[in-house]
């Protein structure tokens, strides 16, 4: 049962992502069921739920790393179909940060950041490098620019991955469990960068279990289970007064410690 | 807000849309996924239906299966002449001696039955007493092989090594190669990982020397020069010379396979064994080698596949192994001109064994991989 | 013993290590020495002499194929035969390596094709050729396929000035008619290469400045071919062609690639390509799915993802085992002896050994040739691994 989304705050802008009755199967396994989701510009959404609930699959559908079988996904007014041109247009506007960073190990940090601007946006190399340095400063690792990813710690790698996405100047950022593969002492440095992004008004969808982060920056928290959206609410109400028994159980499990 | 709990009502699973699953979707995704994929499919279907029926017709439908001499085949040249293989089967499989003494064929047949009776359970996953089976294969079986094939005792007529041939010889060369190369290779691998620089240097030189040279030059060396290396009076026949060459060659490759296994053993295992107060040889024999050998079985099998194929090189120094026997038979007066059938038959036997072994080694590798992940 | 704390020598690990090594060394030396002594005794007993004296003797047999080093019956000495053997080994190895690489990469990529039929066909190809002995394949192609199916020289298959028959392929060979013209052409070609190189540099600079891309690779290839063709006439067409012509029994003139060489090359290519295809498959699959996903998520097209992300990483996995395959191919070319192509083993360890009986020196020299090639290969491999480690870490 889906509770109504909280009325959007006045500051939020037009719709960026609209998902309408999305259904997806892996073979005969029904992973996403009747998902409806509307994301406005500047919204910061945290998606949580037990593993296997379909939350990662959902955000991977948004930039078509996974294809869906029913329903529509519209990003920035463009509907996602098989059309590779639309897919590429959308991917260029949607940044993504992965659980396992997925930096290119054969390229330096700087080259990781300039690759897409040069080859996709056709930016001049020098300009791309200036932009990259600006974002590397923003994630606080400009001094690592000429190292290879293998020489950095997990936290540093994830910050490079964020900078790499930002270099494409995306309108939306997707985060797929960005801190799950990190050692505890490195989680804070990555979350700091994400909080900074949120404060600058970036539209964000984060799959994460960092409930502190959700309380601090999200204006909506979505709980998924069994491939469906069970409950969504503003963080305050979501955490203090969960409506659904599943949500209560989940929160009690992860907040126990 | 009131504290009102709502129940979780799962949306029931629906079957996937018919267009995305099932054979039709599979064909669309895997055969006609894009324009280029569709064209590829059409090209392959065209090639398949043009050439495969031709081959099937030649090899099976129009082939000659019966008869006892070439007149049948000469009358029908549209199809393969399997008559030739049928008539010369004993010779190609067991060599000239057993080919011309049909009453003795039971000897190699018994040997192979015993061999497969030991080997097949050994390759299956849940066989009990594997260690004993393996030991039987390594020690009593070669004795049985010698007694039955060579003969000379228990009233069995002698067929000395010069009379061995066909698949029997191929088998004997490969088996002897692995039997002696395995212990030698283990020692060399241990030596190559030793802390003692002189031992290490000796082993590295030995291994790299044999690995750097093609087997055919080693076989030439073994057949031409080996008698020179030993004091006058020590004589080997050609087959034993080839066996010595093959063993030396194979030991270098086995050593490298075992070394791979040794280096995969975590340092903690060595430390734990040392902490238990075990000396070098006990540590190696009871803790390190059993693990290392298990890990290196797939690569040992791979070197063995290479060796099995390479035994065919002895035909260049004049031994009548499977390849040479098939070729000689197809060049004999009675069957001259049926080379194709001879090569295809010998090739098929080689292929069957090598493919089987490579599948076995791949499965083992996959299993080891998942074992280590858990 | 002067001190009570001193370890008894048989329990001192350092002493034991030295003792073990000394014993091992002595055993090896003794083994080598006894082999040496036996050999000398045996040689004396059989009245055989060994030495390099035969090097300068004239070889009494004909060598049919020697494209670069001159051979003439009655003049060429045994030592020259040795070098002709090396030449032919290197030649067949280079030709085989080029063809096996192209075919292997092709089959490896087809193996990973999303098309099920194509992928299965590639798998069938790999499993069939990897799992049968190379020697059998060489003989199969030579004796069961090419020899019976190709016509006698009289009825050669004609393809322009190229003739194909059961003895091999006859091709026209270039003959220098105007050596000054040839030098001019060479100089012009050099200049063309420098020009194309400058162009590539400029195009790269422009790309970095403006982000505009040019198909530099294709422009260069086309430029070289077209430019080379035009410059050939500018230099006054300095080359003539010696075309093969059918005589009474065989072709005269031109160059001949003997059938055994073709069969050997064909079999080596097919056999080795199956192994290279497996390396290519493993290399491409070693690039994790996350890498392509990350590239796609950044908006890189499929082609750019393959060129910029997958291939550079896959090559690091593909190249080392492929270099080993190159060495294997070179060693395997020694199977030429089965079909009679005149490379080092067939010429030197085969014919020359039979003629002179100098087993010791001949086998040693043959082994030395391969050991050199093998050392060279390991040097290349080490250099490559070190370079990759430098850029990775």
């Amino acid at each position: 049962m889906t509770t109504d989304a909280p009325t959007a705050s006045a500051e939020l802008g037009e719709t960026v992502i609209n998902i309408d009755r999305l259904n997806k199967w892996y073979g005969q396994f029904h992973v996403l069921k009747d998902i409806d989701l509307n994301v406005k510009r500047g919204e910061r959404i945290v998606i949580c739920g037990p593993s296997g609930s379909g939350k990662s699959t959902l955000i991977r559908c948004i930039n078509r790393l996974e294809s869906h079988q029913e329903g529509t996904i519209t990003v920035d007014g463009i509907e996602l179909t098989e059309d590779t041109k639309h897919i590429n247009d959308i991917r260029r506007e949607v940044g993504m940060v992965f659980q396992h960073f997925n930096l290119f190990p054969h390229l330096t940090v700087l080259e990781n950041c300039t690759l897409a601007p040069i080859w996709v946006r056709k930016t001049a190399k020098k300009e791309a490098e200036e932009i990259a340095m600006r974002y590397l400063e923003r994630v606080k690792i400009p001094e690592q620019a000429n190292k290879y990813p293998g020489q950095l710690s997990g936290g540093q790698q994830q910050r490079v991955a964020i900078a790499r996405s930002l270099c494409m100047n995306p309108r939306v950022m997707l985060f797929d469990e960005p801190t799950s593969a990190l050692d505890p002492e490195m989680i804070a440095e990555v979350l700091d960068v994400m909080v900074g992004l949120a404060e600058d008004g970036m539209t964000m969808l984060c799959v994460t279990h960092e409930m502190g982060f959700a309380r601090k920056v999200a204006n909506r928290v979505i709980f998924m289970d069994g491939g469906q959206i069970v409950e969504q609410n503003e963080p305050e109400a979501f955490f203090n007064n969960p409506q659904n028994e599943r949500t209560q159980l989940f929160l009690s499990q992860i907040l126990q410690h | 807000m009131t504290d009102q709990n709502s129940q979780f009502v799962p949306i029931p699973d629906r079957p996937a849309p018919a267009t995305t699953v099932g054979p039709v979707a599979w064909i669309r995704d895997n055969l006609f996924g894009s324009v280029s994929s569709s064209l590829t499919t059409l090209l392959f279907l065209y090639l398949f239906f043009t050439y495969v029926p031709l081959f099937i017709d030649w090899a099976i439908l129009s082939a000659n299966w019966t008869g006892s001499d070439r007149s049948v085949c000469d009358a029908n040249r549209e199809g393969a002449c399997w008559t030739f293989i049928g008539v010369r089967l004993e010779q190609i499989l067991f060599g000239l001696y057993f080919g011309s003494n049909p009453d003795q064929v039971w000897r190699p047949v018994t040997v192979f039955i015993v061999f497969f009776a030991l080997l097949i359970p050994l390759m299956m996953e849940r066989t009990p007493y594997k260690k004993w089976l393996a030991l039987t294969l390594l020690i009593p079986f070669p004795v049985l092989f010698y007694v039955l094939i060579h003969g000379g005792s228990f009233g069995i007529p002698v067929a000395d090594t010069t009379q061995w041939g066909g698949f029997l010889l191929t088998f004997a060369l490969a088996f002897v190669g692995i039997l002696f190369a395995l212990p030698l290779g283990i020692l060399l691998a241990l030596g190559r990982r030793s802390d003692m620089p002189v031992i290490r240097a000796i082993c590295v030189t030995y291994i790299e020397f044999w690995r750097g040279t093609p087997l055919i030059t080693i076989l030439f060396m073994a057949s031409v020069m080996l008698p020179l290396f030993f004091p006058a009076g020590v004589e080997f026949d050609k087959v034993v010379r080839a066996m010595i060459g093959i063993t030396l060659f194979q030991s270098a490759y086995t050593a490298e396979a075992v070394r791979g296994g040794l280096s995969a053993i975590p340092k903690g295992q060595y430390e734990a064994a040392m902490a238990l107060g075990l000396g070098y040889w006990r540590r190696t024999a009871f803790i390190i080698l059993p693990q290392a050998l298990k890990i290196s079985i797939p690569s040992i099998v791979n070197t063995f596949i290479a060796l099995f194929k390479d035994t065919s090189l002895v035909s260049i120094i004049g031994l009548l192994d499977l390849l040479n026997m098939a070729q000689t038979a197809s060049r004999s007066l009675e069957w001259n001109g049926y080379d194709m059938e001879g090569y295809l038959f010998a090739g098929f036997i080689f292929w069957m064994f090598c493919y089987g072994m490579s599948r076995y080694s791949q499965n083992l590798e996959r299993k080891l991989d998942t074992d280590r992940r858990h | 013993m002067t001190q009570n704390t001193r370890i008894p020598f048989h329990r001192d690990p350092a002493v034991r290590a030295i003792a073990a090594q000394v014993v091992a060394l002595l055993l090896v030396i003794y083994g080598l020495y006894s082999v040496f002594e036996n050999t000398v005794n045996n040689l004396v007993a059989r009245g055989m002499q060994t030495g390099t004296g035969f090097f300068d003797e004239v070889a009494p047999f004909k060598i049919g194929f020697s494209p670069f080093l001159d051979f003439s019956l009655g003049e060429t000495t045994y030592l020259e035969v040795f070098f002709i053997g090396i030449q032919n080994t290197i030649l067949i190895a280079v030709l085989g390596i080029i063809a096996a690489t192209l075919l292997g990469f092709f089959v490896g990529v087809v193996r990973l094709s999303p098309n099920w039929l194509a992928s299965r066909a590639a798998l069938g190809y790999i499993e069939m050729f990897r799992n049968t002995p190379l020697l059998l394949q060489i003989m199969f192609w030579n004796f069961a396929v090419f020899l019976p199916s190709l016509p006698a020289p009289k009825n050669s298959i004609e393809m322009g000035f190229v003739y194909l028959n059961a003895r091999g392929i006859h091709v026209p060979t270039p003959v220098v008619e105007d050596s000054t013209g040839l030098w001019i052409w060479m100089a012009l070609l050099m200049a063309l290469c420098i020009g194309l190189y400058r162009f590539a540099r400029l195009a790269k600079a422009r790309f970095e400045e403006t982000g505009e891309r040019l198909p530099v690779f294709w422009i260069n290839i086309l430029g070289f071919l077209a430019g080379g063709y035009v410059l050939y006439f500018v230099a006054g067409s300095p080359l003539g062609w010696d075309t093969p012509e059918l005589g009474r029994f065989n072709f005269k003139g031109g160059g001949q690639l003997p059938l055994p060489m073709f069969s050997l090359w064909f079999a080596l290519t097919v056999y080795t390509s199956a192994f290279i295809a497996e390396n290519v498959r493993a290399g491409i699959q070693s690039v994790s799915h996350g890498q392509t996903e990350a590239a796609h998520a950044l908006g890189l097209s499929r082609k750019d993802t393959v060129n910029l992300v997958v291939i550079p990483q896959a090559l690091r996995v593909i190249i080392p085992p492929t270099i080993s395959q190159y060495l294997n191919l070179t060693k395997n070319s020694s199977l030429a002896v089965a079909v009679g192509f005149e490379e080092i083993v067939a010429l030197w360890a085969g014919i020359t050994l039979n003629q002179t009986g100098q087993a010791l020196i001949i086998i040693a020299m043959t082994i030395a040739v391969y050991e050199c090639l093998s050392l060279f290969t390991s040097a290349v491999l080490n250099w490559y691994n070190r370079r990759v480690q430098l850029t990775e870490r």
Side-chain angles (χ1 to χ4, degrees):
Chain A
M1 198 195 285
T2 316
T3 54
D4 282 342
T7 44
S9 329
E11 75 213 65
L12 297 176
E14 79 280 24
T15 296
V16 190
I17 300 171
N18 188 49
I19 297 175
D20 191 26
R21 291 197 79 75
L22 176 71
N23 277 282
K24 175 172 173 59
W25 287 263
Y26 284 128
Q28 280 294 3
F29 177 56
H30 201 166
V31 264
L32 292 178
K33 300 173 180 170
D34 295 344
I35 304 282
D36 288 313
L37 182 67
N38 188 289
V39 183
K40 298 262 192 303
R41 177 156 324 288
E43 251 196 306
R44 300 171 298 273
I45 296 174
V46 165
I47 305 173
C48 59
S51 63
S53 59
K55 51 197 192 310
S56 285
T57 311
L58 173 61
I59 67 164
R60 286 160 59 86
C61 281
I62 295 174
N63 64 351
R64 192 83 179 181
L65 290 181
E66 306 279 355
S67 57
H68 57 275
Q69 283 87 11
E70 279 181 15
T72 57
I73 302 176
T74 316
V75 181
D76 241 358
I78 307 171
E79 197 192 322
L80 265 176
T81 54
E82 296 276 344
D83 188 338
T84 41
K85 183 170 181 306
H86 287 175
I87 294 174
N88 283 337
D89 285 349
I90 286 170
R91 281 174 176 169
R92 180 179 304 198
E93 305 303 331
V94 177
M96 187 166 207
V97 175
F98 297 87
Q99 180 179 358
H100 296 288
F101 332 135
N102 292 349
L103 292 176
F104 305 128
H106 62 299
L107 301 177
T108 62
V109 166
L110 188 64
E111 287 165 344
N112 263 283
C113 293
T114 56
L115 185 78
I118 290 177
W119 291 87
V120 179
R121 290 237 191 266
K122 318 273 183 235
T123 317
K125 188 178 173 195
K126 207 160 176 197
E127 197 189 329
E129 282 175 351
E130 279 164 15
I131 297 170
M133 285 312 293
R134 205 153 66 226
Y135 283 113
L136 285 174
E137 263 157 41
R138 183 158 167 191
V139 300
K140 304 190 188 70
I141 34 175
E143 71 283 359
Q144 314 284 8
N146 291 316
K147 287 193 181 166
Y148 285 91
Q151 296 165 287
L152 305 184
S153 73
Q156 289 173 321
Q157 290 194 45
Q158 195 59 298
R159 284 186 280 153
V160 173
I162 295 173
R164 178 175 72 175
S165 285
L166 292 177
C167 284
M168 286 294 283
N169 199 15
R171 295 172 175 221
V172 184
M173 286 284 284
L174 307 174
F175 292 85
D176 186 2
E177 307 207 25
T179 55
S180 304
L182 294 177
D183 291 336
E185 74 271 20
M186 293 170 182
I187 292 178
E189 59 188 67
V190 172
L191 289 180
D192 280 349
V193 170
M194 289 167 64
V195 171
L197 269 180
E199 282 166 356
D200 289 353
M202 175 64 77
T203 314
M204 295 162 69
L205 271 91
C206 309
V207 172
T208 181
H209 293 146
E210 296 297 332
M211 291 305 143
F213 172 78
R215 270 178 201 276
K216 199 163 162 189
V217 305
N219 35 20
R220 188 162 22 137
V221 181
I222 294 175
F223 174 69
M224 286 182 72
D225 195 7
Q228 63 196 75
I229 294 180
V230 175
E231 181 168 353
Q232 48 180 319
N233 216 328
E234 286 168 355
E236 202 61 25
F238 181 86
F239 289 112
N240 296 340
N241 191 12
Q243 301 293 306
N244 193 295
E245 49 165 13
R246 276 294 166 100
T247 320
Q248 291 161 359
L249 181 68
F250 177 74
L251 286 176
S252 73
Q253 278 166 344
I254 63 165
L255 296 177
Q256 243 168 24
H257 304 287
Chain B
M1 264 185 210
T2 49
D3 219 33
Q4 133 202 78
N5 281 4
S6 52
Q7 290 262 310
F8 174 62
V9 187
I11 301 172
D13 282 350
R14 279 189 285 133
T19 49
T20 62
V21 287
V24 176
W26 186 90
I27 288 175
R28 194 193 51 213
D29 291 348
N30 293 294
L31 298 179
F32 300 96
S34 60
V35 178
S36 60
S37 178
S38 309
L39 289 176
T40 314
T41 302
L42 292 179
L43 176 73
F44 272 100
L45 287 179
Y46 170 76
L47 291 176
F48 187 86
F49 284 109
T50 323
Y51 291 105
V52 171
L54 280 181
F55 180 76
I56 290 179
D57 183 57
W58 177 81
I60 299 171
L61 300 180
S62 302
N64 303 293
W65 300 88
T66 52
S68 55
D69 58 48
R70 64 177 302 152
S71 58
V72 193
C73 296
D74 287 345
N76 167 29
R77 308 224 53 153
E78 295 295 300
C81 181
W82 300 125
T83 313
F84 154 52
I85 303 294
V87 171
R88 294 297 184 98
L89 188 65
E90 278 91 2
Q91 192 185 339
I92 293 173
L93 289 182
F94 307 131
L96 288 173
Y97 175 80
F98 295 103
S100 48
N101 292 296
D103 57 317
Q104 298 295 322
V105 166
W106 64 273
R107 288 155 59 181
V109 169
T110 316
V111 163
F112 283 118
I113 289 176
V114 171
F115 176 73
F116 287 111
L118 288 169
L119 185 74
I120 291 170
L122 200 57
M123 287 169 79
M124 290 196 287
E125 215 170 303
R126 298 184 189 284
T127 312
Y129 308 117
K130 267 196 179 178
K131 222 170 257 171
W132 295 107
L133 277 177
L135 274 178
T136 317
L137 205 54
L138 290 181
I139 300 159
F141 174 74
V143 175
L144 175 85
F145 186 96
Y146 186 82
V147 167
L148 275 185
I149 301 299
H150 185 272
S153 46
F154 305 109
I156 300 171
V158 175
D160 65 29
T161 48
T162 49
Q163 289 172 295
W164 297 3
F167 179 70
L168 183 70
L169 177 62
T170 298
F171 175 84
L173 290 170
F175 194 82
V176 165
I178 194 81
L179 188 68
F180 292 105
L182 197 58
L184 203 55
I186 292 173
L187 284 179
L188 284 165
L190 289 173
R192 191 164 186 172
R193 284 178 60 83
S194 151
D195 299 328
M196 299 182 238
V198 176
I199 305 261
R200 205 164 52 222
I202 292 171
C203 294
V204 170
T205 315
Y206 178 94
I207 293 171
E208 294 307 330
F209 174 80
W210 297 107
R211 272 160 40 97
T213 322
L215 180 58
I216 187 63
T217 42
I218 293 170
L219 289 176
F220 273 141
M221 181 163 79
S223 73
V224 181
M225 282 160 63
L226 205 59
L228 295 179
F229 291 160
F230 286 88
V234 181
E235 294 279 332
F236 309 105
D237 65 54
K238 269 176 130 181
V239 173
V240 177
R241 286 182 210 167
M243 282 174 173
I244 293 173
I246 285 175
T247 305
L248 296 175
F249 178 77
Q250 180 65 7
S251 65
Y253 286 86
T254 313
E256 284 301 277
V258 174
R259 184 168 73 111
L262 284 173
S263 52
I265 304 287
K267 214 172 145 214
Q269 292 293 318
Y270 289 88
E271 287 165 355
M274 271 191 255
L276 287 172
L278 298 176
Y280 175 80
W281 288 108
R282 280 191 201 163
R283 199 157 73 217
T284 307
F286 299 136
I287 311 291
I288 306 303
L289 265 187
Q291 300 184 54
L293 285 180
K294 193 180 168 206
I295 301 174
S296 43
I297 287 177
S299 6
I300 293 177
V301 173
N302 286 342
T303 64
F304 183 64
I305 296 173
L307 171 71
F308 189 73
K309 289 186 291 176
D310 277 350
T311 54
S312 58
L313 268 60
V314 298
S315 54
I316 294 176
I317 57 167
L319 298 185
L320 288 168
D321 75 315
L322 172 59
L323 172 61
N324 203 5
M325 200 75 244
Q327 178 173 276
T328 311
S330 68
R331 286 182 186 171
S332 63
L333 268 180
E334 296 97 309
W335 296 103
N336 191 16
Y338 292 104
D339 300 54
M340 181 69 102
E341 286 82 351
Y343 288 128
L344 283 184
F345 180 71
F348 179 70
I349 294 185
F350 273 115
W351 181 83
M352 227 168 41
F353 280 90
C354 294
Y355 182 69
M357 285 188 284
S358 90
R359 286 310 293 262
Y360 172 68
S361 117
Q362 281 165 18
N363 283 341
L364 218 57
E365 218 161 342
R366 215 168 298 135
K367 217 183 109 234
L368 280 174
D369 230 31
T370 46
D371 280 359
R372 249 184 290 175
R373 245 174 242 162
H374 288 301
Chain C
M1 270 195 219
T2 51
Q3 273 183 321
N4 290 339
T5 50
R6 182 172 274 181
I7 313 166
F9 73 94
H10 64 275
R11 281 195 346 229
D12 184 341
V15 174
R16 279 169 58 161
I18 290 173
Q21 299 186 63
V22 168
V23 169
L25 197 60
L26 287 177
L27 277 177
V28 170
I29 290 173
Y30 172 75
L32 290 176
Y33 175 75
S34 66
V35 164
F36 173 76
E37 202 192 12
N38 286 334
T39 311
V40 170
N41 290 343
N42 283 326
L43 287 175
V44 169
R46 294 175 199 193
M48 281 163 35
Q49 289 191 334
T50 187
T52 56
F54 71 100
F55 279 6
D56 298 328
E57 287 170 27
V58 170
F61 47 82
K62 190 173 182 314
I63 298 177
F65 182 75
S66 176
F68 301 114
L69 300 173
D70 283 334
F71 172 84
S72 54
L73 189 61
E75 278 176 36
T76 303
T77 61
Y78 279 120
L79 191 61
E80 284 166 330
V81 167
F82 177 66
F83 288 115
I84 290 177
I86 296 179
Q87 163 207 262
N88 287 354
T89 291
I90 292 175
L91 190 71
I92 190 85
V94 169
L95 292 177
I97 284 170
I98 293 171
T101 307
L102 294 175
L103 189 58
F105 271 74
F106 175 73
V107 175
V109 169
V110 172
R111 174 78 184 87
L112 291 175
S113 147
N115 185 301
W116 185 85
L117 268 179
S119 158
R120 286 281 126 173
L123 178 67
Y125 175 93
I126 293 171
E127 294 296 5
M128 180 156 82
F129 291 113
R130 236 174 28 147
N131 288 318
T132 33
L134 173 61
L135 181 64
L136 192 146
Q137 292 185 34
I138 294 174
M139 294 188 175
F140 174 80
W141 294 119
N142 192 60
F143 296 122
V145 178
F146 297 138
L147 210 52
S149 61
L150 290 174
K154 239 181 9 187
N155 308 317
S156 291
I157 301 167
E158 208 179 319
M159 296 171 286
F161 290 105
V162 177
Y163 297 90
L164 183 65
N165 60 46
R167 295 204 188 162
I169 307 173
H170 299 265
V171 290
T173 42
V175 185
V176 183
E177 282 178 350
D178 170 12
S179 61
T180 357
L182 184 69
W183 284 115
I184 293 174
W185 188 43
M186 291 289 169
L188 288 173
L189 278 181
M190 277 291 274
L192 179 67
C193 288
I194 294 171
L196 290 174
Y197 176 72
R198 295 279 308 165
F199 164 74
R201 291 286 297 270
L202 278 176
K204 190 168 175 245
R206 199 173 114 95
F207 167 64
E208 284 174 358
E209 229 165 84
T210 65
E212 274 175 65
R213 253 185 289 173
L214 286 172
V216 175
F217 178 75
W218 295 112
I219 292 181
N220 270 353
I221 295 238
L222 263 176
F224 183 77
L225 291 178
Y229 187 70
V230 171
L231 291 177
Y232 177 75
F233 292 105
V234 172
S237 320
L239 295 178
W241 293 95
D242 181 14
T243 50
E245 262 166 57
L246 186 61
R248 245 176 87 102
F249 298 108
N250 203 351
F251 280 87
K252 288 205 165 56
Q256 188 202 8
L257 294 179
L259 186 69
M261 179 185 182
F262 180 75
S263 308
L264 178 70
W265 171 80
F266 189 86
L268 280 174
T269 300
V270 168
Y271 183 76
T272 312
S273 71
F275 287 89
I276 293 180
E278 262 305 280
N279 294 342
V280 170
R281 181 201 59 79
I284 294 176
Q285 281 187 336
S286 79
V287 180
S288 75
H289 198 50
Q291 291 288 312
T292 42
E293 283 190 343
H296 285 153
L298 285 168
L300 286 165
S301 67
R302 195 178 289 250
K303 183 178 142 237
D304 286 344
T305 303
V306 169
N307 285 339
L308 300 170
V309 175
V310 178
I311 290 180
Q313 293 186 57
L315 277 183
R316 293 179 179 195
V317 180
I318 295 171
I319 287 177
T322 301
I323 293 178
S324 309
Q325 283 306 327
Y326 292 165
L327 178 64
N328 282 347
L329 184 145
T330 311
K331 289 196 286 174
N332 284 336
S333 70
S334 60
L335 297 186
V337 70
V339 284
F341 171 64
E342 295 137 325
E343 48 67 74
I344 181 81
V345 170
L347 261 188
W348 191 243
I351 307 175
T352 306
L353 176 59
N354 282 343
Q355 291 285 334
T356 62
Q358 293 285 355
L360 211 56
I361 186 105
I362 282 178
I363 298 272
M365 283 169 78
T366 314
I367 290 178
V369 168
Y370 285 105
E371 296 296 346
C372 287
L373 288 171
S374 162
L375 285 176
F376 172 72
T377 314
S378 340
V380 171
L381 263 177
N382 285 339
W383 169 81
Y384 180 80
N385 286 336
R386 217 172 306 128
R387 214 195 62 160
V388 167
Q389 267 167 8
L390 275 182
T391 52
E392 194 103 298
R393 198 137 256 279

